[in-house]
Each structure stands twice: as structure tokens, then as C-alpha cells.
Amino acid sequence: MNPLKVALIGIGGVGKAHVRTIVQLAREGVLSCVAFCEPNVEKAKEQKEELEAIGARHYTDYREMLKHPGLDFVAAATPIPLHKPMCIDALEQGFRYCWKSLRPWPLRTWTP
């Protein structure tokens, strides 16, 4: 089975924990992080380097990242008010899954 091709929006703040998990799962062959979006790379240089080391491409605009070929899944590690519009944009681009809450609690996976 081919690993899921994942994209991550946000690698600072709470995104740091996502990066650690994604890098570990990529090294185990469970998934492949092929793209990530972070407009402010100065605050997340270490995470950027970790993701680029496993072959992920950096974007500064998540809407452009959503066009990356072959993506299966998007995870948003951004401030809560951005979750809903980002996940809606991903779903409108044809993604079947976008992981993040659409309200503060509980965390859920939203599918159409």
C-alpha cells in the first residue's frame, strides 16, 4: 500500500507537534509529507528544515499548496479562526478529508 500524501498548513506554535509526528510517520513509511505551508518561516526554521529533509515542498500560501499534485490529506495547525475557511477551501479543491476542528471543541475530522 502506498503511504498517504499529506500536506500541513502551519508549522509554528501547535504545528511543531504536528511536524514531529509527521516526520516520524514519514520515516516509518506510514505517510509522505509532500508539502507544507508557513508564511513566517523565521519563527519555524527548525521545523522547515525537518520537513524539507524528508522531501516536503515549502509554500507560503496555503491555497497554492492545495494545488500540489497528488495530495490525499490536509492538516491545519493554525489559529482556530482559520480552521473552517482553510478546510472549506481544501474540500472545495476536491479533498475528501481535512483534519482540524471547525469549532474550538471537540476536535473532529470533517468530511462532506
Side-chain angles (χ1 to χ4, degrees):
M1 185 167 96
N2 293 329
L4 284 174
K5 293 180 182 175
V6 176
L8 177 62
I9 306 172
I11 62 171
V14 72
K16 292 177 183 180
H18 287 63
V19 170
R20 285 191 300 272
T21 301
I22 285 172
V23 168
Q24 179 181 348
L25 292 172
R27 290 184 177 143
E28 294 172 6
V30 175
L31 57 79
S32 174
C33 184
V34 297
F36 66 97
C37 177
E38 178 56 60
N40 185 359
V41 293
E42 290 304 312
K43 72 176 185 180
K45 281 185 179 181
E46 184 179 328
Q47 291 76 25
K48 179 181 182 288
E49 291 171 6
E50 285 184 78
L51 291 168
E52 288 176 337
I54 60 169
R57 179 176 170 195
H58 176 229
Y59 290 85
T60 57
D61 182 334
Y62 81 93
R63 289 176 198 88
E64 288 300 314
M65 184 194 70
L66 293 175
K67 298 174 187 173
H68 188 93
L71 289 175
D72 296 313
F73 186 89
V74 176
T78 59
I80 290 171
L82 299 176
H83 295 171
K84 185 175 180 178
M86 288 178 165
C87 285
I88 288 171
D89 286 345
L91 293 167
E92 287 178 347
Q93 286 286 330
F95 287 87
R96 293 185 52 160
Y97 303 99
C98 181
W99 182 82
K100 202 36 113 171
S101 65
L102 298 179
R103 56 187 175 175
W105 305 107
L107 296 180
R108 296 182 182 205
T109 301
W110 188 43
T111 60

